[in-house]
Structure formats: structure tokens, C-alpha cells
Amino acid sequence: MPPFASLHRTFVAQAERQPDKVLFELPGERNITYGETARTVRRIAARLVADGVTPGDRVAMQVEKSPEAIALYLATLQVGGVFLPLNTAYTGTEMDYFLDDARPRVLVCSPERRSEHAHREGGDLAVETLGTHTDGTLLNDPASPELHEAHEVSADDPAAILYTSGTTGRSKGAVLTHGNLASNCQALLTAWQFTEHDRLIHALPVFHVHGLFVAANMALAAGASLHYLTKFDTETIIDLLPRATVLMGVPTFYTRLLKSERLTPQACASMRLFVSGSAPLLASDHEAFEARTGHAILERYGMTETGMNTSNPYQDGPRKPGTVGLPLPGVEVRVVDPESGTSLPDGEIGSIEVRGPNVFTGYWQMPEKTASEFRADGFFITGDLGRIDEDGYLCIVGRGKDLVISGGYNIYPKEIEALLDAHPTVLESAVIGVPHPDFGETVVAVVVPAPGQDPQEAELLRFIADDLARFKHPRAVKVVPELPRNVMGKVQKAELRKQYASLFPTA
Ligand code: MCA
Ligand code: AMP
């Protein structure tokens, strides 16, 4: 496939080449072709322009997963807009922050949540709705016009903003360009030999890099088909395996699939590739999956700010459990001393840094934060810790950043600590991640009572509920007389993680 500059243009080319090919197969429901999707994209594009969207304007989306959500993404790119997908779990308080910061021209929300956003409307913001059955204001006029022209974009133009929480507790919008998305998609198509003949099981959410810019982009660009599921369900996936070729998921997908007796070599007979990422896959799960199915899961490593950086080989080399493989074509990866920034010899643990056409341009309206995360020679400091093994494979050994990854969702302790500390019975808190049998890691809050107070778990959880998406809620609250500190007075989270490591017994 020749190099491409825009995901929208590449999709349009596929839709013109094979209009009748099924793009979305919705199990037990409808099938939607490339041609039908292209028409929906053009209708939404016309609607966005009517709402006042001009190139560079942000289009925010907080909707349940549907094929039309992907059409909205493509329509935004068509008109030169900047797509801003938001997790459906975000509460009103969280939405206030993102919308104030990104100042979108249009917010597309679920019809059921329309009233929550009524107060935002007017002025510079238009609110549209989109349901899961083509309902909602965005598509409610069957005779609505179609926009055929596409805004001419360059590789450096912004295509999307994805919020990713910072160590400071404030979420930062990572601005990804058309060039970032296109180059990463192309590198993955080549690395994983993905073609129009693939049938990908898509069970990830479409508001993060994994589901949108890895899974969906690859299928759209290659002209492949999606078994498109609104959410992960073990038995539905196993039902679909015999009609699919590729599955992409977070480690929790594989932990759950392994629990089913129906996961057999026969069930996987038509599959050629299982991909895992977003969080570490346990080497024991990798090995158990291979023993059970004959397939070695291909683990890769990425970040919101960079898309995918490294991948275990599709062929020409082993897929090594516990590693995230080799740099993708065009991507440079190095392990350096975190203080001096000098490269370390292979085998030594240091800070992982990356450079390449996949790396974002910066955080939305945060030039200083952006500058502090890049080296002078253009390498981006990922905040992950790793080493390069004897075969050149990258192994992630930990995180320099204070981050919990639960079922593939990133959770920043600082955000939760700030909320807990505001409760009158709490003097201070430390939020940590501990091993969890289903989510890989889960959140535990350790709190110290304010003088004379007796913090109650249920009350604390109620107190933070409105301000925090459900997946970020601590699964346990522990009350302790004081937090362990080092001589500098810094809370020793490693000590706490050790202390509570067996709270949720794994295997
Ligand atoms: C749902 N819940 C969770 C999570 N998901 N709690 C903690 N961690 C989670 N990940 C909560 C719900 O709020 C609910 O709580 C209860 O668990 C059940 O919800 P349900 O929707 O039924 O859960 P599920 O469908 O079983 O979802 C689990 C899941 C899902 C399949 C692991 O979280 C998922 O699809 N994760 C993928 C996230 C992802 O795409 N990450 C990629 C980020 P209650 O019942 O108590 O109300 S992109 C990225 O990281 C980089 C770039 C990369 O490298 O890919
Ligand atoms: P996000 O900010 O949601 O893009 O999450 C990116 C982070 O997820 C990375 O910085 C890593 O810490 C982690 N991550 C992604 N893929 C892997 C993987 N295969 N193994 C270990 N950690 C991973």
C-alpha cells in the first residue's frame, strides 16, 4: 500500500474501491458496508459544518459505542476538525474540566445524557446527540445533505486530542496530528501483515488509542471487516473466533478468555493473530494461552502520546513473554539514565524514551509541560522504566510515573488523593495499585485519620463518587495511623504496595 497522509482519505479510497464490502458486522444485528458508512460520514460532516465547525475546531464525543461513533470521527477529520473522544464513564465534574480546557465547537453526547449538558449549550458550543441505533440529532434528518469536499490537511495538522492524566493530577490533552495517526497505522499494517482479508474482533472502547487508532484505523485503512461489539464479553468473543482472523485486546481480555473451557485450538482455527497491549500481560497468561490454543499472543507497547512504539515480531523471531518486542519501523527507542539522559548499555534498567513520526506534537495549551517531557534531541520521556535484552527486545520493568493501570484504563493516584484529602475525617491519603486477578491492578486508598476522626470506607467512597469515573474508585480503603515515609519525608508507596500486595489474591 502506498504511503497515506490522512485516515479519512484512505477510508474514502477504500469505500470507493469496495462500497459493498461489510465494514461493521454487528452480531445478531445489522451489517454496515463501506459505502453506507461513507454516506453517514458525509452526512455528519455536513452537519458539523452547519454547526459552525471550521478547521482546527474541536469536536468532542461522549457516546456509547456504535458504528456511527466511528463515522463521527471520520467526519471530523474530513472537515479539518480535531476529534476529542471522552470516556463514557466520566462524570459531570470530569466533563467540566475537559470541555473548559478544550473548548470544543460541538459536543456529541448520548440522547439519555442530553439534559446533563443543556446548561453548556449556547454561545460557542453546539450540543448534538447520537444513540446506538442511529438515533439522535446528529443523524435524525434522513434527507440531510452530504458534504463531499474534504478539507486539505497536512501531516502536521492536529487530528485529535486525547486526554491523559498527568502526575500533577491535571489531565493533559495530547495533540496527535494526521501524520502521527497515518504513520503509526502504516507501521502496524506492515508489522502485523494486516490486509483487507482480515476480520478483526473489535471489543475495545473507541475513546482511547487502542480501540480507535490501532484497531479501527487499521481496519479502515486496510479495507478489512470488523466484528464490532459494544463491549467485551467472553462467550460472544469465543462464538466469533471461528469467523475472525485477529483479536486486539487488553490483558484482561486474555485472562478472562482463559477462564472459558470453550477456548480451544479448534475455536481458534481461523485466527492468525492475538494482540495484547495497554498494560503488562502476565508471562504466565502468555504461556497458558499458547499451551491452550497454539497461539503466542503478540504483545506490543504504546502510549496515548506516541501511539505504538514497539511490537513483538509477527514473524522472523520469537514472541517473548514478558517483553514488548522491537521498535516499530521508523520508531527509535532508547533506555537512558533518567538524570543525565545518556544511553545505558543493553541490560541496564533506565528511563524509556522514544522518537519518531508517531510521537505527538505536545500537550494542548501547555508549552512548558510539553517542553519538560522532551529531550533537546527530540526524544519523548515516556515515564516508563525498562531495559533492552540480549536480542534487542524491550522489557518494561516498571513505571517512573505514579500511575495505576486497571483493566487497561489509566488511573492517576493524585486525582483520587486530592478528593479524599478534602474529606473532614481524613488527614492525608496515599492511593496505590495492587495486583488484581481480573484487572491486573486495582486501586487501594490508604488514609490517615484527621485528629480525633474515624474515617469510614462507605462514606469516603460516597464522598468522591460524583467527581470520579467509576473505574477509578478504590476497591478498598485502609485506615492507618501514619504513612511510611523516607528521610526526605516522601511517602513510600512501594512499601504500601508490598504491604497490600495480597489484598486481592491472584492465581
Ligand atoms: C469496568 N470497570 C472497571 C473497569 N472496567 N473497573 C476498574 N477497571 C476497569 N478497567 C467497572 C465498572 O465501572 C463496573 O463497576 C464494573 O467494573 C463492571 O463494568 P463493566 O462495564 O461490565 O466492565 P467490563 O465490560 O467487564 O470491562 C472491563 C474491561 C474494560 C473489558 C477490561 O474496562 C475495557 O474494555 N478496558 C479496555 C480499556 C482500554 O481500551 N484501554 C486502552 C487505553 P460497578 O459494577 O461497580 O459499577 S489506550 C492505551 O492504554 C495505550 C495507548 C495502549 O498501549 O493501548
Ligand atoms: P496511556 O497513557 O493510556 O496511553 O497508557 C500508556 C501506558 O500504558 C504506558 O506508558 C505504559 O506504562 C502502559 N503500557 C502500554 N502497553 C503496555 C505493555 N504492553 N506492557 C506494559 N505496559 C504497557
Side-chain angles (χ1 to χ4, degrees):
M1 185 185 286
F4 55 88
S6 143
L7 258 302
H8 170 258
R9 283 204 183 275
T10 309
F11 159 73
V12 169
Q14 291 293 359
E16 283 169 359
R17 195 174 66 84
Q18 42 178 10
D20 298 328
K21 174 153 182 180
V22 171
L23 168 51
F24 297 101
E25 191 173 317
L26 311 180
E29 264 192 71
R30 47 195 173 129
N31 287 348
I32 304 173
T33 64
Y34 271 81
E36 288 165 331
T37 305
R39 180 160 182 269
T40 306
V41 172
R42 294 193 296 267
R43 286 178 60 201
I44 297 177
R47 182 89 185 193
L48 293 178
V49 170
D51 281 333
V53 174
T54 57
D57 283 349
R58 278 75 58 210
V59 174
M61 170 187 98
Q62 191 194 34
V63 299
E64 297 303 326
K65 188 174 173 183
S66 71
E68 292 71 29
I70 299 286
L72 170 59
Y73 155 60
L74 291 167
T76 304
L77 299 190
Q78 179 181 343
V79 302
V82 181
F83 191 57
L84 170 54
L86 292 159
N87 194 324
T88 46
Y90 290 146
T91 64
T93 315
E94 290 165 307
M95 289 297 283
D96 287 343
Y97 174 78
F98 298 125
L99 299 176
D100 276 352
D101 191 56
R103 300 256 158 219
R105 187 73 191 78
V106 176
L107 165 65
V108 183
C109 67
S110 305
E112 310 79 61
R113 293 182 72 172
R114 175 76 185 73
S115 58
E116 283 176 39
H117 298 295
H119 68 285
R120 305 185 197 279
E121 210 166 4
D124 289 338
L125 181 74
V127 177
E128 298 272 12
T129 60
L130 176 65
T132 50
H133 291 90
T134 59
D135 50 321
T137 57
L138 199 62
L139 284 164
N140 65 358
D141 176 6
S144 63
E146 295 179 27
L147 182 73
H148 287 264
E149 304 78 53
H151 176 73
E152 198 62 50
V153 293
S154 80
D156 295 334
D157 287 337
I161 295 180
L162 269 73
Y163 276 87
T164 166
S165 301
T167 40
T168 53
R170 253 192 91 192
S171 281
K172 300 164 298 195
V175 181
L176 295 162
T177 63
H178 287 270
N180 293 148
L181 304 187
S183 70
N184 209 227
C185 181
Q186 233 160 1
L188 293 172
L189 292 175
T190 308
W192 299 344
Q193 298 187 9
F194 198 91
T195 72
E196 64 182 301
H197 304 297
D198 275 308
R199 296 182 305 282
L200 169 70
I201 301 180
H202 193 301
L204 288 160
V206 292
F207 41 71
H208 280 311
V209 164
H210 199 164
L212 189 59
F213 299 149
V214 181
N217 273 359
M218 287 177 72
L220 295 168
S225 297
L226 296 171
H227 291 290
Y228 196 70
L229 307 176
T230 50
K231 61 179 289 195
F232 177 89
D233 176 70
T234 306
E235 298 308 317
T236 310
I237 302 255
I238 294 182
D239 287 343
L240 284 171
L241 286 174
R243 293 194 290 122
T245 61
V246 180
L247 172 68
M248 294 180 192
V250 294
T252 299
F253 281 23
Y254 296 102
T255 310
R256 291 186 183 179
L257 285 170
L258 276 166
K259 291 215 169 76
S260 171
E261 297 291 316
R262 295 175 59 219
L263 183 74
T264 60
Q266 294 72 27
C268 300
S270 71
M271 292 292 291
R272 68 171 187 90
L273 179 61
F274 292 90
V275 179
S276 177
S278 309
L281 177 72
L282 289 174
S284 54
D285 277 354
H286 180 109
E287 282 149 11
F289 200 88
E290 186 165 13
R292 184 86 81 78
T293 65
H295 286 272
I297 298 171
L298 183 154
E299 184 168 8
R300 65 20 168 218
Y301 160 57
M303 260 186 101
T304 299
E305 290 92 331
T306 65
M308 301 302 105
N309 295 310
T310 69
S311 169
N312 268 277
Y314 179 68
Q315 55 179 34
D316 302 332
R319 298 180 196 162
K320 295 209 261 179
T323 81
V324 292
L326 302 153
L328 282 164
V331 180
E332 295 170 86
V333 176
R334 69 184 184 191
V335 172
V336 305
D337 177 286
E339 301 308 321
S340 65
T342 48
S343 284
L344 293 171
D346 287 355
E348 284 191 27
I349 293 173
S351 154
I352 302 173
E353 302 188 349
V354 298
R355 183 168 70 177
N358 55 314
V359 177
F360 76 139
T361 49
Y363 296 111
W364 173 251
Q365 291 180 334
M366 288 189 182
E368 280 163 24
K369 184 71 194 160
T370 302
S372 70
E373 311 256 320
F374 280 91
R375 300 275 181 196
D377 58 4
F379 273 85
F380 173 65
I381 304 164
T382 63
D384 292 312
L385 302 175
R387 65 180 169 81
I388 311 264
D389 79 1
E390 59 288 0
D391 299 316
Y393 284 48
L394 180 66
C395 312
I396 299 176
V397 299
R399 295 174 206 134
K401 51 196 173 192
D402 191 13
L403 162 72
V404 180
I405 306 184
S406 167
Y409 285 141
N410 284 7
I411 301 167
Y412 279 83
K414 199 98 185 185
E415 186 184 4
I416 307 169
E417 289 161 2
L419 291 170
L420 288 169
D421 291 353
H423 193 273
T425 66
V426 174
L427 178 67
E428 60 173 348
S429 62
V431 167
I432 53 167
V434 301
H436 187 272
D438 187 35
F439 291 133
E441 274 183 322
T442 198
V443 177
V444 172
V446 185
V447 302
V448 178
Q453 299 293 330
D454 181 18
Q456 298 297 312
E457 174 163 358
E459 161 57 18
L460 292 182
L461 293 178
R462 222 180 357 258
F463 182 69
I464 63 176
D466 286 350
D467 295 333
L468 213 54
R470 179 77 189 104
F471 68 86
K472 300 179 189 169
H473 290 199
R475 295 297 159 126
V477 178
K478 297 287 166 193
V479 180
V480 298
E482 60 184 8
L483 296 173
R485 288 195 140 85
N486 66 10
V487 284
M488 312 288 291
K490 191 170 180 292
V491 175
Q492 297 298 83
K493 287 202 170 177
E495 196 51 49
L496 291 173
R497 281 193 285 269
K498 218 185 298 168
Q499 199 177 336
Y500 295 109
S502 312
L503 211 51
F504 301 91
T506 47

